[in-house]
Amino acid sequence: QQQVKQSPQSLIVQKGGISIINCAYENTAFDYFPWYQQFPGKGPALLIAIRPDVSEKKEGRFTISFNKSAKQFSLHIMDSQPGDSATYFCAASMWTGNQFYFGTGTSLTVIP
Amino acid sequence: KAGVTQTPRYLIKTRGQQVTLSCSPISGHRSVSWYQQTPGQGLQFLFEYFSETQRNKGNFPGRFSGRQFSNSRSEMNVSTLELGDSALYLCASSFRVSGGPDTQYFGPGTRLTVL
């Protein structure tokens, strides 16, 4: 059973547009939600993370929005650039846990 | 600091064989986790080792096993390979800042193809 559900599976966005990736979770014990970015031939790298005590976290062009009541969180990439083309994974764990549950990934393509 | 290294980067095996993958974590990291990455399934957790002890295990058959050495290097073994074992196997090392989350740093993975 997939603990974290991610959509869409793939996304094509024009340069300068906004990319939005959504995730949903079931386990209310999760309280740490990181996003990872993976380029071809590389392992995933931590991009940005959020805890449920805030509804939004922004780092540069990347923003996580969090809806605790709906058990959903999303990644917004503003002013998307071709260099953002990668696979993005959402994940969930407990703050003091050491097991992460990953979504199935979203392949983002930003067209120049 | 050097990143997480995984060897070999590519492997081709045939059904029924066994394979051993190796992971060297970032210096000072004592936790090593292994994941299987396949299209459509994302990253599936295999197991996690800390100080030579398996601390967590995912829902994989007993054909998948691992170990960690005293220098924190880890190996993963898959016996009696099946076609469905073809995947990218990722290793992640981590350390925990006191009271904070476990930040995982991933290696580039080993691409295993089973024919």
Side-chain angles (χ1 to χ4, degrees), chain A residues 38 43-44 89 95-98 100, chain B residues 37 55-56 96 99 101-102 107:
Chain A
Q38 183 180 30
F89 293 94
W95 182 248
T96 56
N98 42 44
F100 288 79
Chain B
Q37 182 178 1
R55 194 161 59 172
N56 285 301
R96 185 186 305 283
D102 206 15

Side-chain angles (χ1 to χ4, degrees), chain B residues 6-19:
Chain B
Q6 293 187 245
T7 57
R9 292 292 311 276
Y10 302 91
L11 264 179
I12 299 176
K13 293 285 188 178
T14 57
R15 282 189 306 171
Q17 286 187 309
Q18 77 165 26
V19 66

Side-chain angles (χ1 to χ4, degrees), chain B residues 88-109:
Chain B
L88 180 68
Y89 289 88
L90 292 162
C91 164
S93 75
S94 63
F95 74 99
R96 185 186 305 283
V97 175
S98 178
D102 206 15
T103 299
Q104 298 201 319
Y105 297 83
F106 284 86

Side-chain angles (χ1 to χ4, degrees), chain A residues 4-102:
Chain A
V4 179
K5 296 182 180 179
Q6 182 173 348
S7 63
Q9 186 174 357
S10 62
L11 183 61
I12 300 174
V13 174
Q14 293 277 357
K15 178 182 175 181
I18 302 174
S19 304
I20 301 175
I21 304 170
N22 301 300
C23 285
Y25 64 99
E26 289 295 325
N27 190 343
T28 55
F30 291 150
D31 58 0
Y32 178 62
F33 302 91
W35 284 89
Y36 285 81
Q37 180 188 55
Q38 183 180 30
F39 292 106
K42 304 286 187 181
L46 180 65
L47 184 64
I48 186 174
I50 196 169
R51 293 201 71 189
D53 53 348
V54 296
S55 60
E56 185 175 284
K57 182 174 182 180
K58 185 176 181 178
E59 289 184 3
R61 295 184 294 108
F62 300 90
T63 299
I64 301 178
S65 297
F66 191 87
N67 185 329
K68 187 174 181 179
S69 61
K71 293 187 287 186
Q72 295 175 348
F73 58 110
S74 59
L75 176 69
H76 296 235
I77 306 175
M78 312 301 286
D79 187 27
S80 298
Q81 299 296 313
D84 297 330
S85 297
T87 300
Y88 292 81
F89 293 94
C90 60
S93 77
M94 287 180 278
W95 182 248
T96 56
N98 42 44
Q99 184 168 346
F100 288 79
Y101 298 87
F102 284 81

Side-chain angles (χ1 to χ4, degrees), chain B residues 9 13-14 16-17 24 26 38-39 45 48 60 78 80 87 108 114:
Chain B
R9 292 292 311 276
K13 293 285 188 178
T14 57
Q17 286 187 309
S24 292
I26 293 172
T38 55
F45 175 75
E48 185 239 355
F60 278 81
V78 187
T80 319
V114 182

Side-chain angles (χ1 to χ4, degrees), chain B residues 50-61:
Chain B
F50 181 84
S51 294
E52 302 179 64
T53 300
Q54 187 181 88
R55 194 161 59 172
N56 285 301
K57 189 176 189 307
N59 293 326
F60 278 81

